[in-house]
Amino acid sequence: GALAASAERIAAAIDWMTAHRVAVVNISVEGPNNGVLAEMVRRAAERGHIIVAAAGNGGPAAQPSFPAAFEGVTAVTAIDESGRPYVRANRGAYIDFAAPGVDVTVGVNGGVAQVSGTSFAAPVIAAEAAAHLQAPSPTEAARVLLNLRARAEDLGAPGHDNIFGWGALRD
């Protein structure tokens, strides 16, 4: 619940990454709607950058989380190893993909810890997109996202749904 980064700092980071032609940007934070951040995301997506963001951990009844819910952002939810949705994951029409994000082992201070959340699922999709988009390009970004959609394992209702989006991509 603590402030990890202000919207202005996130917008500045997006601005830096677009200026340095970083093709895929992962944003594993969530917060309220913000006009400055919305504009930076819009500009980046318009220029062919893929912006991936954590869908949020407010629970199934939570309001949409930002930047994930902005138009042009690829919103990612978390699933466990059996394909079940993370109990605290947001749901909604803005969800695009699901990826492993429950009981993920991460390195912490020379050791390891088990963590859960949509913030740990988003980098899975970002890495997959980055493997196929080396430079920003509106045409290529659209192609990469369509390819990810075609490869996604449909876990919910057929087609896009509010829990899993287009489906899951797993390692």
Side-chain angles (χ1 to χ4, degrees), residues 54-144:
N57 301 313
Q63 291 296 311
S65 183
F66 297 89
F70 289 137
E71 186 70 30
V73 173
T74 300
V76 182
T77 190
I79 56 172
D80 67 17
E81 63 184 24
S82 298
R84 291 183 299 254
Y86 176 48
V87 66
R88 293 181 53 200
N90 288 18
R91 297 183 181 182
Y94 70 101
I95 306 297
D96 292 299
F97 294 104
V102 177
D103 295 327
V104 176
T105 302
V106 297
V108 178
N109 299 325
V112 296
Q114 297 286 315
V115 295
S116 296
T118 62
S119 289
F120 303 101
V124 173
I125 302 302
E128 190 62 33
H132 302 284
L133 185 66
Q134 286 69 48
S137 162
T139 303
E140 286 302 303
R143 184 192 58 75
V144 167

